[in-house]
Amino acid sequence: MSFPQTRMRRLRKNSIIRNLVNETKIDISDLVMPLFVCTGKNIKNPIPSMPGNYQLSIDNLISEIQELHHIGIQAILLFGIPEYKDEDGSVACDENGIVQRAIKEIKASVPNIWVIADICNCEYTSHGHCGIIENNEVENDKTIEQLAKQSVSIAKAGADMVAPSDMMDGRIQKIRKELDAAEFQNVPIMSYSAKFASSFYGPFRDAAECSPQFGDRKTYQMNPANSREALREVMLDIEEGADIIMIKPALSYLDIIYKVKEQTNMPVAAYNVSGEFSMVKAAGEKEWINEMNVIHEILLSIKRAGADIIITYHAKEMAQAMQNNT
Ligand code: PBG
């Protein structure tokens, strides 16, 4: 049957019927808020390219998390800015490292927030690459040893989940093996499975102070042109023991999110990255867009594509907006 019997506008007549036939919803419990923790006391350094985001010392981080928890955010993703860096990023595995200390304090004061820690070397190495350098290249097999060590040390500190973002080969298998050996069988791995070498990470690299000092990340992060390869990466991570598959960035990669959801039975996370966030903020500041509506539409599109979990710097403002609407 078609027009005039069929009229699609019948179900758009008012908000009641539109809500009744609504297919996708954003739930605060789907959102993960990324946070940056640094050493020192009472520090709240604004990140200029990411309005509303800060490098926070542990004391301020705790207050921020209490506030987030209060407005309904249930999960955070932690990134550390250490006091010093070295060639092989060994401080990432230090039990008194910044992220390890932060996790212990978070667990003591806000025990019910789900704490995810990013696992990677780039915030800890002096050269800013995601692994150990040998002959000017990131050495895969030594790097994954280090990542497994970092994961165990993060699990010991009390993290609920680890999220390796380095894109080395075989790291999920290695991390799973070492976590299990250390009796952290119940700590899940959310793998940045299809992480693209993206220019949308620009603002994050200022925030986490981790820009590569030479070259780029194209020898380990994926070529933005490839979706079949993304599926191979995802399948390998599933085989290696990943519990959640992440696609990153989100907006320019909605097709990848969709395919992964269609072709696997895995929970899928999408990372709405810094550059995606900053573009919205910049246009919002200029009043070129209705910022909150755009944020809602973006998060909805990521959900609609198939993401179960959305990691987004908009999490706090979205939760606040949703609270004000109820
Ligand atoms: C570390 C890491 C990066 C991001 C998350 N983990 C930066 C990078 O790979 O260069 C980017 C997050 C964002 O842009 O919001 N490897």
Side-chain angles (χ1 to χ4, degrees):
M1 226 188 289
S2 59
F3 182 80
Q5 291 91 337
T6 301
R7 288 180 184 269
M8 297 303 281
R9 291 182 56 196
R10 281 184 202 124
L11 300 183
R12 294 176 198 150
K13 190 181 173 116
N14 62 31
S15 64
I16 302 175
I17 184 64
R18 286 197 296 272
N19 287 339
L20 281 170
V21 299
N22 180 55
E23 297 177 33
T24 314
K25 257 197 190 136
I26 297 159
D27 209 313
I28 300 180
S29 63
D30 301 328
L31 305 180
V32 178
M33 181 74 191
L35 294 169
F36 301 96
V37 60
C38 62
T39 54
K41 276 214 167 73
N42 197 20
I43 292 177
K44 188 176 180 182
N45 289 335
I47 302 160
S49 53
M50 298 175 70
N53 289 268
Y54 304 86
Q55 296 177 333
L56 299 169
S57 52
I58 294 178
D59 46 351
N60 285 338
L61 176 79
I62 300 288
S63 339
E64 177 68 12
I65 293 174
Q66 279 162 339
E67 194 184 329
L68 289 169
H69 196 233
H70 184 70
I71 59 171
I73 299 287
Q74 297 180 14
I76 56 159
L77 173 60
L78 268 189
F79 293 95
I81 302 132
E83 209 156 21
Y84 68 92
K85 305 183 185 225
D86 62 16
E87 271 291 298
D88 59 6
S90 56
V91 65
C93 308
D94 181 347
E95 69 176 86
N96 289 316
I98 180 64
V99 174
Q100 286 86 341
R101 274 190 285 136
I103 295 169
K104 280 179 212 152
E105 297 208 25
I106 296 166
K107 282 290 152 189
S109 38
V110 202
N112 290 329
I113 198 129
W114 185 260
V115 179
I116 312 167
D118 186 82
I119 301 294
C120 194
N121 274 341
C122 69
E123 293 125 69
Y124 305 97
T125 50
S126 42
H127 45 73
H129 274 288
C130 301
I132 295 166
I133 302 285
E134 263 181 22
N135 304 321
N136 270 335
E137 278 183 21
V138 176
E139 211 289 316
N140 193 86
D141 300 11
K142 285 193 182 138
T143 300
I144 65 176
E145 299 275 342
Q146 173 102 338
L147 294 166
K149 249 169 82 182
Q150 184 186 1
S151 302
V152 170
S153 130
I154 289 288
K156 263 190 197 146
D160 294 294
M161 186 150 90
V162 293
S165 68
D166 51 283
M167 287 300 279
M168 297 300 125
D169 287 322
R171 90 270 211 215
I172 300 302
Q173 185 183 56
K174 182 81 192 155
I175 291 171
R176 184 71 274 158
K177 186 166 161 244
E178 298 302 325
L179 282 176
D180 289 358
E183 294 185 18
F184 293 112
Q185 298 91 332
N186 294 325
V187 172
I189 303 175
M190 174 164 75
S191 175
Y192 289 69
S193 300
K195 175 171 177 182
F196 291 87
S198 170
S199 296
F200 285 104
Y201 306 150
F204 173 94
R205 292 183 188 167
D206 297 337
E209 300 175 4
C210 68
S211 287
Q213 299 302 302
F214 65 91
D216 53 38
R217 302 208 204 286
K218 290 181 184 164
T219 68
Y220 40 104
Q221 298 180 350
M222 278 192 53
N223 176 355
N226 294 359
S227 69
R228 290 189 293 272
E229 186 186 346
L231 284 165
R232 289 187 69 200
E233 283 282 8
V234 167
M235 296 308 171
L236 285 169
D237 279 3
I238 297 172
E239 249 170 67
E240 290 183 27
D243 298 280
I244 299 173
I245 298 300
M246 194 207 296
I247 314 300
K248 176 184 176 189
L251 274 188
S252 295
Y253 301 86
L254 293 177
D255 57 324
I256 314 286
I257 297 173
Y258 180 76
K259 283 189 184 167
V260 171
K261 197 65 198 172
E262 289 286 293
Q263 296 190 26
T264 73
N265 291 320
M266 300 296 288
V268 175
Y271 200 141
N272 176 217
V273 300
S274 57
E276 300 174 317
F277 168 86
S278 302
M279 289 193 304
V280 172
K281 286 286 157 193
E285 238 167 59
K286 287 184 180 289
E287 297 184 24
W288 287 350
I289 54 170
N290 177 325
E291 191 179 314
M292 212 53 230
N293 288 355
V294 166
I295 293 169
H296 189 254
E297 192 173 327
I298 285 174
L299 298 180
L300 206 54
S301 73
I302 298 171
K303 239 358 274 264
R304 197 188 60 236
D308 303 293
I309 301 167
I310 307 175
I311 301 154
T312 177
Y313 304 95
H314 294 300
K316 185 179 184 182
E317 52 196 349
M318 192 65 209
Q320 281 164 336
M322 286 166 82
Q323 243 191 357
N324 293 339
N325 283 341
T326 51

